[in-house]
Amino acid sequence: MPYLTRHDPHRRKGAGPAQEAIGTVASIRVLVVDDEKNLVRLLRGYLEWEGFEVHEAFDGPAALDMVGAVDPEVVVLDWMLPGLDGVEVLRRMRRFSQAYVIVLTSRSEETDKIVGLSSGADDYLTKPFSPGELIARVRAMLRRPRDASPEDPESTPALRFGDLAVDADCREVRLRGEPVRLTALEFDLLATLASRPGFVFSRSRLLERVWGEGYFGSDHVVDVHVANLRKKIEEDTANPRYVETVRGVGYRFARR
């Protein structure tokens, strides 16, 4: 099978490296959703070896039920599912869950990747892939905090740029006083850019700051998420007021 690597995690004993390195990793819940049961079993073995708590679903409706039941931190979601496809599962899921989502697709067309990221996914993998690559992506995402830390005594005042306000502590964005619904990754991207108005962030630097040092996918993912972000905060996406493109380099938040 193209998904297998040299070692079979089912033959190993003892704690995996992630469990040894992070004592609380066993509390991290991962939901694997795919109608290929052999692949689900394989990924479950690798993830459990790394110390994660793994749950399974084999169709779209079951995936939504499981998200509601176990509240996973990470969802590995196949794009082609019976019952409801991955696009619809993700759209419905985003109404009540901010879990990290990695989309699995058997097709490599750019449009499939763009649709996935536009629907609220954080990352994607094209089949066939290495389970080790999946785990590396999961680790990289988990290094990005999803929620603010209310117990942190150091409060950062909201950043204001005309009609746009970015509150890093509350992870809230308001445009002309109205809340803007962003995915967690879109918020992290905006907060990073807005933290240094006028500074040009290269795509590689944004990948490192927002996606994490362990991310090793295409830097085109930055362009897709910037496009999604602009749709939500810019009046004219062709002539953005806030997030500007620096051709051949990356992006900057406009200094006003």
Side-chain angles (χ1 to χ4, degrees), residues 98-237:
Q98 285 298 309
Y100 296 100
V101 176
I102 299 179
V103 167
L104 305 180
T105 176
S106 298
R107 300 179 295 183
S108 60
E109 285 83 353
E110 196 75 9
T111 53
D112 291 333
K113 300 171 184 177
I114 292 173
V115 168
L117 296 174
S118 299
S119 301
D122 297 284
D123 203 352
Y124 60 84
L125 279 173
T126 302
K127 297 178 181 177
F129 60 89
S130 160
E133 181 181 4
L134 172 67
I135 290 169
R137 300 282 184 99
V138 170
R139 286 176 177 169
M141 288 192 300
L142 289 171
R143 284 195 288 268
R144 302 195 309 264
R146 254 325 191 209
D147 302 308
S149 300
E151 67 275 9
D152 189 346
E154 296 186 10
S155 178
T156 304
L159 302 173
R160 300 186 182 277
F161 309 94
D163 293 333
L164 184 70
V166 181
D167 190 328
D169 286 346
C170 296
R171 296 184 67 82
E172 290 182 349
V173 175
R174 291 184 175 270
L175 185 63
R176 292 182 290 277
E178 295 297 320
V180 179
R181 289 184 58 84
L182 300 180
T183 68
L185 200 147
E186 289 166 357
F187 179 88
D188 292 340
L189 183 59
L190 176 60
T192 297
L193 291 166
S195 68
R196 300 183 67 181
F199 181 84
V200 179
F201 286 88
S202 66
R203 288 173 178 81
S204 61
R205 186 159 186 170
L206 287 170
L207 282 174
E208 180 180 327
R209 290 280 298 272
V210 179
W211 278 260
E213 294 181 359
Y215 182 83
F216 48 88
S218 168
D219 63 5
H220 181 60
V221 71
V222 177
D223 302 327
V224 174
H225 281 286
V226 167
N228 293 338
L229 176 61
R230 282 174 171 163
K231 291 175 185 177
K232 297 179 180 181
I233 66 171
E234 303 282 6
E235 291 186 7
D236 183 358
T237 56

Side-chain angles (χ1 to χ4, degrees), residues 9-87:
H10 297 288
R11 297 179 183 174
R12 300 179 182 179
K13 295 181 180 180
Q19 193 171 18
E20 293 170 357
I22 307 172
T24 59
V25 73
S27 66
I28 296 174
R29 296 174 298 280
V30 179
L31 172 62
V32 180
V33 185
D34 201 304
D35 59 343
E36 297 182 47
K37 294 186 178 181
N38 287 338
L39 175 59
V40 172
R41 181 183 64 83
L42 173 70
L43 295 181
R44 181 183 192 118
Y46 273 87
L47 288 162
E48 287 182 341
W49 164 245
E50 293 293 328
F52 296 100
E53 176 186 324
V54 182
H55 301 267
E56 303 172 351
F58 303 106
D59 59 51
L64 288 172
D65 290 343
M66 191 63 72
V67 172
V70 305
D71 189 23
E73 282 89 353
V74 179
V75 177
V76 180
L77 178 65
D78 185 51
W79 220 220
M80 304 297 292
L81 291 170
L84 290 172
D85 65 21
V87 177

